[in-house]
Amino acid sequence: MTTEKRRAPAGAAVLRGEITSAIRTAVMQELAEVGYGRLSIEAVARRAGVSKTAIYRRWRSKLDLVLDMVSAVAGRNIPLLDTGSLLGDLEILLHVMARALRHRLAAQIIPDLLAEAARNPQIAEKLQTALDDYQQAVGRILIGRAVERGELSPDTDRRAAVDLIVGPVYWRMAISRAPLEAAEVPRMAAAIVAALRVACLGPARDEVEV
Amino acid sequence: MTTEKRRAPAGAAVLRGEITSAIRTAVMQELAEVGYGRLSIEAVARRAGVSKTAIYRRWRSKLDLVLDMVSAVAGRNIPLLDTGSLLGDLEILLHVMARALRHRLAAQIIPDLLAEAARNPQIAEKLQTALDDYQQAVGRILIGRAVERGELSPDTDRRAAVDLIVGPVYWRMAISRAPLEAAEVPRMAAAIVAALRVACLGPARDEVEV
DNA sequence: GAACGTCGGGACGCAACCGTACCGTCGTTG
DNA sequence: CAACGACGGTACGGTTGCGTCCCGACGTTC
């Protein structure tokens, strides 16, 4: 290819960032409103006040568009503060999750995409890696620190631990769709700590005492 | 209306049950495959080997059809066996939930409809009442019995308890989509019992704000 | 200030689906 | 055994969305 004579695009021949971000927010809103299944490029374009071509110039298809959004959002990893105790760490994590799921958009988009992931391999892959990263981070860092401190047994099952930690918040906010008051977090955190302590003891062979 | 001369429909003029049920299973499969958002009557008809008219004669619209399916499935309440101990009751419940979510159809349809419920008031209502029934049943019966036995404090927060019980299984099977081995159930049940014990101790009493 | 070249917008062809109207079929009823 | 009447199937207009093509507009570069 003799591209030597070519000069870089300039002037009006350059993607306008404002439009790109207008599309992005429109996609989020549309995704929340109708879900991935019914997401239409035309609706996105309408909502963004933009032509369809503007979208197709940036992303090859609807799937590409959504995949890009997902990786953009899921890419940023959560900071897991070290408060010095498992209980403290958990409270922070629960607060962060609750805060995230309190946003209307997130609370609608996340369950929707997770459901869609069950049937769309591309979305599943993108989402699953993000989810795995998240779970691993929680498992390794949060549980790992607790093990180092001696708060949990070294042979704690990381996956089971993640289920016990993340499950209740997600169920409460995304499925049951009941608000989680900040005041409830400490209690939930304490309950989870108790659960984690028991979970690493292995199968319930012993009788439980009051 | 002078319906006196009317005689009851008979012969070929009666809905054929085989076709009705063919439609029903087709809807379930289609729902699992493409989700509610993309569910199309034509596809259902094709899959069932039936005409669209056959469907429209039975249900007024796509929404009606799905609502009917939901109430049919969600209507049947789960039997909660009394094993004599909270731990035993929990193990049973977890097994039942795990068994249900192991079915491919259920594991795809349930999250999908729950996500859809977030934006469709009609589905939300049907599903929410079913969910509430379920949660109440778990809360009242399972927790209630444990309280009677003295295993849990009388002022246990039912809602928080349900979150701790149902959340982990749901997360594991429907979101994380990792298999839950039967051997893991006892451990998870034991962990949940521990969590419930702590949860009813009340909030961390130092900070109680709304 | 003219040339450049991509930009956004509107229009197009194509495909899928919705919900309805009509038509011949068929089993029961009297 | 004939009449009944809802049955299932086909065909149809209308709508929506996809992805593409062509056009005039526009800001930078030389």
Side-chain angles (χ1 to χ4, degrees), chain B residues 7 10-12 39-42 46 52-53 56-57 61-62:
Chain B
R7 72 185 186 186
L39 183 73
S40 84
I41 298 289
E42 305 226 8
R46 272 197 302 271
K52 278 198 299 177
T53 319
Y56 279 108
R57 261 189 225 289
S61 68
K62 176 173 122 178

Side-chain angles (χ1 to χ4, degrees), chain A residues 135-204:
Chain A
Q135 300 202 52
Q136 269 208 13
V138 171
R140 265 218 334 277
I141 302 183
L142 224 148
I143 305 297
R145 284 202 296 239
V147 169
E148 286 174 15
R149 289 190 204 104
E151 292 183 286
L152 291 179
S153 156
D155 49 319
T156 300
D157 180 348
R158 306 294 159 101
R159 181 190 283 175
V162 171
D163 296 339
L164 289 171
I165 294 171
V166 181
V169 208
Y170 185 79
W171 175 269
R172 172 65 161 270
M173 304 203 64
I175 309 300
S176 183
R177 293 205 128 78
L180 178 65
E181 308 294 341
E184 299 181 60
V185 168
R187 203 191 339 178
M188 188 180 266
I192 294 175
V193 169
L196 292 176
R197 288 234 180 78
V198 171
C200 61
L201 295 180

Side-chain angles (χ1 to χ4, degrees), chain A residues 7 12-15 50-51 53 57-58:
Chain A
R7 74 183 186 189
V14 163
L15 286 174
V50 151
S51 77
T53 320
R57 260 188 226 290
R58 290 165 170 82

